[in-house]
Amino acid sequence: MYSKGPKPQVIMVAAFDGWNDADQCATDVIRQLVSRYPSVEVGHINRDGYYDYQVSRPIQCSIQGFRRILWPQTTFYDITISDTLQILAQLGPEPNYGWMEYCKESLRIAEEFEVGQIYTMGSMFADCPHTRPLPLELSIEGNGSDQTVEYSGPIGIPHVLDAAADEDGFATTSLWISVPKYLGTDPCPQGTLQLMQTLSKLIGTELELGDLPRKAEQWRARASVLMHNNPDLEHFVAELEHEYDMAEKARSIANSDSPAVQQLVSEAEAFLREMPDDDTEK
């Protein structure tokens, strides 16, 4: 599989169609990698037992005049990024059944390719403005980072795969991008672009973006036209912008060692000192 010399580092990047992939942001990362780098299909997870075909329906198509049925399945790609880096990419619909066994099969393939780090990706709809950088949540090795947002609620297969990989001793990183739900379900190249840029920083390699920056700019422009033609939407986006800017300002103050922060801490400590002690009142 590899040329002579030191083996390249192998990482795994996984994304899944469906509930975990608002506006196709996450799965388009895999498609971008496959289209920009030398890649080959190196494995599949058998479809039977994992999919409800009334939910994830097969597709009929014609190839050179012959009928072919394409069944839902997970595909693994071996992608050559450089002489020192390979990506094992996992792409497929979220399975309907057998999630734990599905994750075990995924990790068996990861072990076969001697994967050292696993990255899971997803995207979700949220109340966020298209006029600002899209919110991105990052969790590293299950412990989280400064960008991690605490979450309790329904989860999808990326979370389960990430947890299973962590339990099996893999180094894991989870990336989730939020996209404006007021723009509907059309592809969001801005979300894919930010995921690609974040992945580049994490792996220390500038990944080829192709025409993603141009598509992202066009996406923002179309969204702005839609907004300016709808006064109610324009007002709603203005409110989201205000909330976003206030949250960024609060985050910036909290992460700084400025006099304003010191003053707030001093005032809080003084307030606590002035509070009556429960024991003295009894």
Side-chain angles (χ1 to χ4, degrees):
M1 187 173 89
Y2 303 116
S3 59
K4 292 182 179 179
K7 285 186 176 181
Q9 175 191 9
V10 184
I11 65 172
M12 178 171 158
V13 180
F16 304 90
D17 293 300
W19 187 78
N20 314 276
D21 190 34
D23 290 350
Q24 302 176 14
C25 292
T27 53
D28 276 350
V29 169
I30 305 297
R31 298 183 184 102
Q32 176 76 9
L33 292 172
V34 169
S35 69
R36 302 300 299 184
Y37 294 95
S39 60
V40 60
E41 292 187 21
V42 293
H44 302 87
I45 293 182
N46 292 333
R47 60 185 181 266
D48 291 334
Y50 291 120
Y51 293 106
D52 179 346
Y53 297 137
Q54 291 182 322
V55 177
S56 300
R57 289 189 176 272
I59 298 173
Q60 177 174 298
C61 62
S62 177
I63 300 178
Q64 295 182 339
F66 294 93
R67 179 174 62 183
R68 184 178 177 186
I69 296 178
L70 303 179
W71 296 88
Q73 68 175 358
T74 296
T75 302
F76 289 84
Y77 300 90
D78 183 11
I79 305 173
T80 301
I81 303 299
S82 67
D83 291 339
T84 59
L85 179 63
Q86 297 279 133
I87 290 181
L88 176 67
Q90 179 176 5
L91 175 66
E94 180 180 57
N96 302 107
Y97 309 113
W99 281 19
M100 294 308 298
E101 183 57 35
Y102 177 91
C103 289
K104 289 179 182 178
E105 286 201 48
S106 300
L107 297 177
R108 279 197 290 267
I109 295 175
E111 290 175 356
E112 177 185 340
F113 280 80
E114 300 180 359
V115 166
Q117 174 94 27
I118 294 179
Y119 296 86
T120 56
M121 291 187 173
S123 52
M124 55 189 169
F125 291 112
D127 286 330
C128 56
H130 71 276
T131 52
R132 302 290 188 271
L134 300 178
L136 192 147
E137 301 174 13
L138 175 65
S139 177
I140 300 176
E141 295 181 354
N143 296 320
S145 72
D146 292 341
Q147 294 169 289
T148 300
V149 176
E150 293 296 332
Y151 173 73
S152 297
I155 60 172
I157 196 66
H159 291 89
V160 178
L161 178 59
D162 184 71
D166 188 48
E167 290 176 2
D168 276 9
F170 287 95
T172 62
T173 300
S174 176
L175 298 87
W176 282 80
I177 194 82
S178 294
V179 297
K181 63 182 180 181
Y182 60 81
L183 293 178
T185 59
D186 289 337
C188 176
Q190 177 66 37
T192 301
L193 175 64
Q194 288 185 221
L195 286 173
M196 290 279 291
Q197 291 171 331
T198 302
L199 182 62
S200 293
K201 292 178 182 178
L202 291 171
I203 66 178
T205 299
E206 286 295 326
L207 297 171
E208 294 186 17
L209 301 176
D211 59 356
L212 265 178
R214 178 183 61 82
K215 290 182 177 179
E217 184 177 354
Q218 291 175 341
W219 175 84
R220 292 191 299 270
R222 287 194 297 268
S224 292
V225 169
L226 176 66
M227 176 185 71
H228 293 314
N229 288 332
N230 186 328
D232 291 337
L233 180 58
E234 189 168 21
H235 177 71
F236 178 64
V237 173
E239 290 181 341
L240 294 180
E241 290 174 334
H242 177 71
E243 293 174 3
Y244 184 99
D245 293 342
M246 292 297 291
E248 285 298 302
K249 183 177 180 180
R251 188 178 296 110
S252 176
I253 293 175
N255 292 334
S256 70
D257 193 27
S258 65
V261 173
Q262 297 296 331
Q263 181 179 352
L264 288 172
V265 171
S266 298
E267 291 176 356
E269 290 175 343
F271 174 76
L272 292 174
R273 283 196 299 269
E274 292 173 2
M275 291 183 64
D277 186 81
D278 289 341
D279 293 335
T280 59
E281 291 184 343
K282 293 180 180 178

